[in-house]
Amino acid sequence: MGTLIKNGTIVNAAETIQADILVEGEQIVLIGKNLPKDKHTVIDAKGKYVMPGGIDVHTHLDLPFGGTSSSDDFETGHRAAAFGGTTMHIDFVSQPKGGMLHDGLAIWRKKAEKAQIDYSFHMMVTDLRDEVMNEIPTMVDEGITTLKVFLAYKGVFQVDDNTLYRTLLQAADHGMMVMVHAETGDVVDLLIHKYLKEGKTDPYYHALSRPPELEGEATGRAVALAGLANCPLYVVHMTCEQAVTQLRLGRAKGLPVMGETCVQYFFTTIDDLKRPNFEGAKFVCSPPIRTKHDQEILWGAIKDRTLQVVSTDHCPFWFEGGKNGRIAGKELGKGDFSKIPNGLPVIEDRLKMMWTFGVGGNRIDMNRFVEVNSTNPAKIFGMYPRKGTISVGADADIVIWDPKKKETLSAATQHMNTDYNLFEGTKIKGAPSAVFVRGKQVVDDDKWLGHVGYGKFIKRSPYSPVL
Ligand code: URP
Ligand code: ZN
Ligand code: ZN
């Protein structure tokens, strides 16, 4: 006895077809027209789209950062993700100071005991001692095939070019890919001190201290070094014309380089950082949100395939933390923008925003929607065709998407563990009516059916394609 999803329209990256889907156990076992009901549990998807679950390859759950921690853990973050149609994500593991990569991995495995949807990890490299260099290949045996380096956050996560280049060489030798946060951290640091010295302490100066030229410079440098090392590179959270231009140039030369942007960079602007009463802090993330012009550049880069993925960089903090049982949040930066914890709550709203304004706004079609939110993430990160597609043999990570469902995004109704919503008051049209993770229904409209401990760690393959 299985679950039979009948009368829906299946949307994959490559095609749209009218067919039924039979799920048995954790997998899709049959796709066809007019499949017999037999004794299966039947779900009628008439008038709805049936798509592979969203895969968010850039999240920070329960991350100690900026003098506090991000406010969603693997329990709350997973519930929020699934209510938004995301069935799997990849989180970043920090290398502890003076520690080994496996030390960090043990900490993140513990956090993930609460998992309700599937997940994997990227390994951050912040201290590349010889013993750590030798440890890198063992990550592949763990099913972790991506390393992450930061070219910013001086004194915290930032690495120098020596570390970046040696990481690229080691990754290339073992079929791994390097991900990079591209901003020129040393200059950002100078600009932060300059503005603070001038008494310019409001959230807006966070953006001015991280100009797009620095994102362009660091992106160009990372692309060049990846080319030299012949290592696949994936530039995370790209925001602006300067950075996109560097990636486009690298790709035009045939270098193995790819990039993502995040939902927030399409829908918010630097003006949001000027909101009064410290509300600008709600929009503080790095790289900062940019201009309307940059939004157009990003849509263009999704269209011409310079960018392959849309993720969230979900890293939520309370706006008013430190009271009512809440950990500290954005208020830490009152009077000093450099102390505002960097990061935004987005994981629940990615697909709804991309559908309403991406597909609904004729920026992308439904197939490209599936491609950038699910299929390309699965391919690039070594999980395809187990994930990222509605196909026989794939995990039954399925979203039944109701294109007529209307909602108003709000902190009052969201599932993310924060006291604000980045898109507060935005009206969306199109949302999940049912969500399945490996065959188990976890969302039924506004009802939560999932449970702690169900989510599985997904081992990923090395030597994934460069798209
Ligand atoms: O502001 C951000 N992006 N916070 C999370 C850490 C990072 O840089 O990805
Ligand atoms: Zn980053
Ligand atoms: Zn991030």
Side-chain angles (χ1 to χ4, degrees):
M1 256 210 353
T3 302
L4 184 61
I5 302 173
K6 278 199 88 61
N7 308 318
T9 302
I10 299 172
V11 185
N12 271 322
E15 79 278 309
T16 305
I17 57 165
Q18 206 73 41
D20 303 339
I21 299 171
L22 179 62
V23 173
E24 278 180 357
E26 298 192 344
Q27 292 181 333
I28 296 170
V29 295
L30 198 58
I31 297 176
K33 299 239 185 241
N34 303 317
L35 295 182
K37 291 183 182 169
D38 293 337
K39 288 189 174 152
H40 304 307
T41 304
V42 176
I43 296 187
D44 186 10
K46 193 169 168 29
K48 302 195 175 128
Y49 296 113
V50 185
M51 308 191 281
I55 301 175
D56 190 343
V57 298
H58 187 159
T59 64
H60 302 281
L61 298 180
D62 198 4
L63 172 73
F65 188 43
T68 181
S69 285
S70 57
S71 57
D72 262 324
D73 63 13
F74 279 73
E75 180 178 352
T76 61
H78 281 191
R79 193 164 44 233
F83 269 113
T86 289
T87 53
M88 154 135 207
H89 74 114
I90 314 183
D91 211 70
F92 291 89
V93 173
S94 300
Q95 177 187 1
K97 258 209 160 18
M100 302 293 288
L101 305 181
H102 275 94
D103 299 332
L105 189 55
I107 295 169
W108 253 259
R109 284 204 197 283
K110 188 94 201 125
K111 291 177 194 277
E113 283 174 4
K114 297 187 208 166
Q116 315 209 63
I117 63 171
D118 286 354
Y119 63 94
S120 180
F121 297 130
H122 310 290
M123 195 68 231
M124 281 161 59
V125 175
T126 43
D127 177 10
L128 191 52
R129 308 182 305 275
D130 287 349
E131 53 183 345
V132 175
M133 187 80 163
N134 293 332
E135 192 191 11
I136 283 177
T138 67
M139 284 294 126
V140 177
D141 306 326
E142 303 281 2
I144 297 174
T145 54
T146 38
L147 303 171
K148 164 84 177 288
V149 291
F150 290 82
L151 304 183
Y153 301 128
K154 196 171 167 68
V156 186
F157 297 139
Q158 187 175 325
V159 301
D160 59 13
D161 290 349
N162 176 307
T163 298
L164 166 60
Y165 189 59
R166 286 189 300 129
T167 305
L168 286 162
L169 289 174
Q170 186 72 323
D173 273 354
H174 296 92
M176 301 175 89
M177 181 170 74
V178 173
M179 306 167 77
V180 65
H181 172 132
E183 290 182 291
T184 317
D186 284 357
V187 181
V188 168
D189 194 55
L190 283 173
L191 291 175
I192 289 172
H193 287 104
K194 167 188 134 65
Y195 286 119
L196 290 178
K197 213 165 145 200
E198 292 169 359
K200 294 170 176 164
T201 60
D202 289 345
Y204 179 61
Y205 293 97
H206 168 79
L208 294 196
S209 69
R210 314 183 85 101
E213 287 78 4
L214 299 185
E215 193 184 329
E217 186 284 321
T219 303
R221 182 159 34 103
V223 165
L225 294 181
L228 199 59
N230 198 19
C231 180
L233 179 82
Y234 179 94
V235 185
V236 298
H237 50 41
M238 299 186 66
T239 72
C240 61
E241 180 168 26
Q242 288 84 340
V244 167
T245 299
Q246 292 301 323
L247 185 67
R248 195 173 274 134
L249 281 171
R251 289 174 65 80
K253 287 184 195 156
L255 302 183
V257 293
M258 296 171 279
E260 68 172 19
T261 189
C262 308
V263 185
Q264 53 271 32
Y265 296 114
F266 291 121
F267 303 114
T268 56
T269 73
I270 188 167
D271 290 336
D272 287 309
L273 283 147
K274 293 183 188 160
R275 292 194 191 192
N277 304 321
F278 193 60
E279 296 245 345
K282 292 179 175 175
F283 298 84
V284 165
C285 61
S286 297
I289 49 187
R290 306 285 189 193
T291 63
K292 284 247 174 258
H293 171 74
D294 291 300
Q295 292 179 355
E296 290 306 315
I297 297 291
L298 294 177
W299 284 118
I302 287 288
K303 195 168 175 173
D304 74 9
R305 297 177 179 267
T306 301
L307 296 178
Q308 293 73 39
V309 172
V310 176
S311 71
T312 63
D313 193 9
H314 179 70
C315 188
F317 295 98
W318 297 102
F319 179 57
E320 291 183 330
K323 57 183 184 191
N324 306 328
R326 298 172 180 172
I327 52 172
K330 298 279 185 184
E331 78 288 346
L332 287 173
K334 278 190 177 155
D336 179 348
F337 69 82
S338 74
K339 296 204 166 63
I340 302 170
N342 286 201
L344 308 178
V346 199
I347 204 165
E348 187 168 356
D349 297 335
R350 176 177 65 137
L351 299 183
K352 295 175 190 175
M353 290 294 284
M354 290 303 291
W355 181 272
T356 302
F357 301 105
V359 178
N362 287 323
R363 299 283 194 171
I364 50 175
D365 63 17
M366 291 193 296
N367 307 96
R368 184 70 175 150
F369 170 87
V370 168
E371 193 171 21
V372 298
N373 290 311
S374 179
T375 309
N376 281 354
K379 287 182 177 170
I380 293 170
F381 291 90
M383 298 179 281
Y384 187 84
R386 177 176 179 184
K387 303 283 190 191
T389 177
I390 300 285
S391 307
V392 171
D395 280 358
D397 295 345
I398 299 173
V399 177
I400 301 181
W401 190 265
D402 181 352
K404 296 205 179 96
K405 193 168 171 182
K406 290 184 180 170
E407 286 176 15
T408 302
L409 301 182
S410 173
T413 49
Q414 72 186 12
H415 300 87
M416 295 181 284
N417 195 35
T418 54
D419 51 351
Y420 74 99
N421 184 293
L422 206 60
F423 311 114
E424 185 71 36
T426 301
K427 292 188 185 336
I428 58 99
K429 188 171 171 212
S433 62
V435 179
F436 297 79
V437 177
R438 272 181 293 103
K440 177 184 167 39
Q441 187 168 4
V442 294
V443 170
D444 180 8
D445 269 320
D446 54 1
K447 271 206 297 296
W448 178 245
L449 306 175
H451 63 81
V452 163
Y454 178 73
K456 251 195 198 163
F457 176 77
I458 303 297
K459 279 190 154 195
R460 295 184 288 116
S461 307
Y463 300 106
S464 299
V466 174
L467 301 181

